[in-house]
Amino acid sequence: MAMNPMQRRARNSFLTGMLVTLVVMAVVVIALLYKINKLNEDVENLLALQQKIYVTAEDIPSGGEITEDLLKQEIVQTTVPKDMMFTPTDFVEVDDDGNEFALEFVSKVELPAGTIVTKDMVAEAGNEVTDDQRIQEYNMLMLPSELKNGQYIDIRYKLPSGADYIVAAKKKVLQCTADTVWLKVDEAEILSIGCSIVEAYQTNGSKLYATVYSEAGMQAEASTTYTPSNDVWDLINRNPNIIQERKNALAAKFNSEDQGNGRVKIDSAILTDPSAVETGVQSENSALQTARQAFVAELEGTGEVGSSTVTATPSN
């Protein structure tokens, strides 16, 4: 039966309404699915940021000792890389023989309770950063044949008489090559080692060498027994870069009877021969230049060495 015009318009309006409704519903469903997917991605991203890490259980002052009972493990969300986090394994070090020994740490900065602890916030006890510390390069020491990065050494000065003095104790080898070693030393140690180097150049049959700690984690730092010359001691005493506490400790040690007798023995063994010092310095500079050339050759093209040409604008 034929529809009259009003029925046709009504049917068309109904169909149009249904179509619009379906389109709207489809848009709503697509929008909801997009939002759900976005929420799922956000949840996954947040879960990926979750790490079980150390946070401080109480306030720790700058320079304060950090022990495991002052820390607690919590699951937190952070963008800090995992290799920067301070973890339980950092309290233990394993040597090449598989032996484990405990490490002690102090805080570099004040850490309020609940602070995430990262490796750049702490320092190994005995290796705290001070204003007068520098990384020094030495290529005149006799190094052990199997010396490796990360080991701890004493720098010793042996006289022809057999007397053997400790110049610097338990210094960590930051890096080493066949004939060069890099150490972190303070101002007083720089002067003391420098003095022993000059004296070793002047004394025939003397030896300036390094010895390795067999169990660094369990062995205490040795006491230095070398006494610098009076000139160097005067410089140490007047040096504003050395903290007063360090000066007082050095004064007490250098002014002791045993240390004074040691200085007499060293002075009696030294041969006044300026040419020997000059030869030693030239050899040192030559070795340093050779090592530097090899180092630069390895870095050529990396942007870490070399210079850029800057074209100057001519003035009118």
Side-chain angles (χ1 to χ4, degrees):
M1 184 175 67
M3 292 183 182
N4 60 46
M6 292 185 63
Q7 290 176 324
R8 187 179 295 111
R9 283 197 299 272
R11 188 188 65 174
N12 290 341
S13 297
F14 175 76
L15 293 176
T16 301
M18 286 292 295
L19 181 61
V20 171
T21 301
L22 290 173
V23 171
V24 172
M25 291 180 63
V27 171
V28 171
V29 170
I30 292 173
L32 288 174
L33 290 175
Y34 174 79
K35 183 170 289 188
I36 291 172
N37 288 334
K38 185 66 170 60
L39 288 173
N40 288 335
E41 289 180 3
D42 291 342
V43 170
E44 290 178 0
N45 291 334
L46 290 174
L47 291 175
L49 295 177
Q50 285 188 350
Q51 300 183 49
K52 189 175 183 180
I53 57 177
Y54 271 143
V55 299
T56 52
E58 57 186 74
D59 294 344
I60 299 178
S62 177
E65 183 182 6
I66 295 179
T67 58
E68 286 197 79
D69 60 329
L70 296 178
L71 306 175
K72 59 182 179 180
Q73 287 188 301
E74 289 187 357
I75 296 177
V76 299
Q77 294 170 347
T78 177
T79 58
V80 178
K82 291 184 178 180
D83 59 355
M84 287 296 297
M85 292 299 181
F86 194 70
T87 65
T89 58
D90 291 312
F91 280 107
V92 178
E93 186 168 322
V94 182
D95 62 19
D96 293 337
D97 298 325
N99 300 315
E100 294 186 356
F101 53 89
L103 298 178
E104 298 177 350
F105 295 90
V106 295
S107 173
K108 293 182 181 179
V109 295
E110 183 178 353
L111 299 175
T115 301
I116 296 174
V117 183
T118 58
K119 292 180 179 179
D120 57 354
M121 294 179 178
V122 303
E124 189 176 340
N127 289 313
E128 298 90 341
V129 176
T130 59
D131 291 340
D132 64 344
Q133 282 182 338
R134 301 292 185 271
I135 296 176
Q136 287 285 105
E137 178 179 353
Y138 297 104
N139 57 24
M140 72 297 297
L141 306 177
M142 293 183 63
L143 301 179
S145 60
E146 298 183 356
L147 183 66
K148 300 177 183 178
N149 296 344
Q151 291 183 316
Y152 288 80
I153 62 172
D154 287 341
I155 297 177
R156 305 183 69 106
Y157 175 40
K158 187 174 184 178
L159 294 173
S161 64
D164 202 320
Y165 300 93
I166 299 175
V167 182
K170 204 170 188 181
K171 310 309 297 183
K172 185 174 183 178
V173 177
L174 305 179
Q175 185 178 338
C176 63
T177 62
D179 56 5
T180 307
V181 65
W182 285 259
L183 308 172
K184 183 188 292 184
V185 287
D186 60 33
E187 188 74 13
E189 288 171 328
I190 290 173
L191 296 175
S192 184
I193 294 172
C195 183
S196 68
I197 291 170
V198 172
E199 291 181 351
Y201 289 156
Q202 291 178 307
T203 309
N204 293 331
S206 66
K207 182 171 70 171
L208 196 61
Y209 67 106
T211 57
V212 179
Y213 282 72
S214 58
E215 294 290 348
M218 294 185 290
Q219 293 174 296
E221 176 181 328
S223 298
T224 56
T225 54
Y226 173 77
T227 304
S229 65
N230 291 332
D231 289 340
V232 172
W233 167 237
D234 289 341
L235 182 58
I236 289 174
N237 196 40
R238 292 184 286 106
N239 195 324
N241 293 314
I242 303 176
I243 59 176
Q244 190 60 46
E245 291 82 356
R246 177 68 171 150
K247 288 181 182 179
N248 294 339
L250 290 170
K253 183 181 70 173
F254 293 159
N255 292 331
S256 68
E257 182 177 354
D258 291 339
Q259 295 292 323
N261 292 336
R263 185 65 242 175
V264 171
K265 293 179 181 179
I266 294 174
D267 288 336
S268 64
I270 293 177
L271 305 176
T272 305
D273 184 3
S275 64
V277 178
E278 181 179 355
T279 300
V281 172
Q282 289 176 348
S283 176
E284 179 182 335
N285 289 339
S286 177
L288 178 59
Q289 185 177 17
T290 300
R292 176 62 183 167
Q293 289 172 346
F295 177 74
V296 171
E298 291 180 358
L299 294 180
E300 283 183 352
T302 64
E304 295 188 27
V305 296
S307 60
S308 58
T309 302
V310 179
T311 303
T313 303
S315 57
N316 296 328

